[in-house]
């Protein structure tokens, strides 16, 4: 995720969705990575599947999607 895309994401409504931050924490636990990289993986996965970041976050929390 480029700095520009990070800034754009932080201005989006998804940034204020607590599930996105919770899912980022789950990804940190699954992958043993830092928060920025975990969030990047979440956003990249959403972009690659055509789903919204919010939808992927909900799937991560519900354990329908995992990162390893």
């Amino acid at each position: 995720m480029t700095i520009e895309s990070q800034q754009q994401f932080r201005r989006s409504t998804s940034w204020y969705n607590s599930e996105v931050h919770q899912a980022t924490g789950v990804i940190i636990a699954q992958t043993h990575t830092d928060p920025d990289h975990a969030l990047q993986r979440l956003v990249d996965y959403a972009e690659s599947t055509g789903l919204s970041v919010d939808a992927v976050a909900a799937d991560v929390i519900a354990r329908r999607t995992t990162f390893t």
Side-chain angles (χ1 to χ4, degrees), residues 4-55:
E4 182 179 299
S5 63
Q6 285 177 353
Q7 291 170 345
Q8 183 179 22
F9 178 73
R10 288 188 171 118
R11 288 189 299 264
S12 74
T13 57
S14 292
W15 179 253
Y16 300 98
N17 181 349
S18 62
E19 286 187 336
V20 170
H21 297 285
Q22 184 178 356
T24 299
V26 171
I27 295 168
I28 290 167
Q30 290 175 350
T31 62
H32 307 287
T33 192
D34 63 88
D36 288 334
H37 190 247
L39 180 60
Q40 178 180 342
R41 290 190 67 177
L42 177 69
V43 172
D44 289 347
Y45 184 83
E47 289 176 354
S48 72
T49 59
L51 297 170
S52 71
V53 173
D54 297 330

